[in-house]
Amino acid sequence: MSDLAKHLIDRLPKAELHLHIEGTLEPDMMLKLAKRNNVTLPYHSVEDVQKAYNFDCLQDFLDLYYLGMSVLLTEQDFFDLTWAYLCRVKEDGLTHVELFFDPQAHTARGVSFETVLGGITSALEQAQKELDISSKLIMCFLRHLPEEDAFEALDCACKHKEHIFGVGLDSSEKGYPPPLFERVFAQARKEGFTPVAHVGEEGTAENVREGLDVLKIERVDHGNHALDDPFLTARLAKQQTPLTMCPISNWRLKGIPSLAHSPVKKAMDAGLLVTVNSDDPSYFGGYLNDNYRAVHEHLALDEAELIILAKNSFKASFLDDEEKQKQLDAIDAMVDDVKRL
Ligand code: ADE
Ligand code: ZN
């Protein structure tokens, strides 16, 4: 890797737009919280946990992801989890994050919505003050659970609109297409939440189309399989609907056979507004900058394309125009600095 590429990846201001906070639970924190909360896990060491991180598909990962989060019980646990992630990505030059959380996975275990939200939002507020990282929170509905449960989560979210910006849709994509959630998304939009959804990760281009047309999503999470359909690709390019792609996640979940098969470059070349993100960095072994390094090395993205990706991360964000411009100006200033090195 050239020195210029290395410095750009290390130092460019970036936003992360596809990040599940529960997917940042590192094995050492999992074991520490299990001990603190008297939760029994089938693992006794960090190595035991790491050995389990070997996935054949999305569902394989989700089984472990839901097991891992069973150690999260108190507001302090959610604070610690979120704060650890924010401190980690401060080192990657991250200045803005739009993060997902999965309240139904916690309320189903008897942890209150307010416990989850309280811990996450305290950490986000502290990050704004102490780390100069801004944020927006997106509450995901779990698509393997019934619509009725999603409506319950939405009721809870409506009591905390000041802390929750958007709604998303995640968990198992196969067998749970977007129309199952048409009504709850319609209600969420009416309540003022901005809609996004995981579509086209393991599912087809049809799921992406339904995300856009039925759920009226404003950003596509993953969207890899949109590229299977030239008409949909052209539509996404024309509308400049952002895609939050996650190369290391796709590789670790065997959606692609190697990082060289990541669709990031193909999507950029097709004129799409592509961003690069980490998804569940602890489980997939790569934080934000590892994903930038992966696309640089395996797709031969050049320095100019790395700068485009960093700029896209803000263009595709839900920041207002003035905040976006500030971040884009900061990128230009950093590029000048790095080129002088
Ligand atoms: N929940 C956490 N990570 C996810 C992913 N990559 N796809 C669907 N649901 C998820
Ligand atoms: Zn995801």
Side-chain angles (χ1 to χ4, degrees), residues 20 100-104 138-142 153 166-170 196 198 221:
H20 301 264
F100 301 125
F101 74 119
D102 283 332
Q104 289 162 276
I138 300 174
M139 178 186 81
C140 286
F141 301 118
L142 294 183
V167 294
L169 186 65
D170 66 358
V196 299
H198 283 56
D221 295 316

Side-chain angles (χ1 to χ4, degrees), residues 125-141:
E125 283 163 12
Q126 189 166 323
Q128 176 70 75
K129 286 192 212 119
E130 294 180 15
L131 305 175
D132 205 16
I133 295 177
S134 57
S135 59
K136 296 198 186 287
L137 197 48
I138 300 174
M139 178 186 81
C140 286
F141 301 118

Side-chain angles (χ1 to χ4, degrees), residues 223-234:
N224 296 24
H225 287 282
L227 294 164
D228 300 343
D229 178 339
F231 292 102
L232 181 59
T233 305

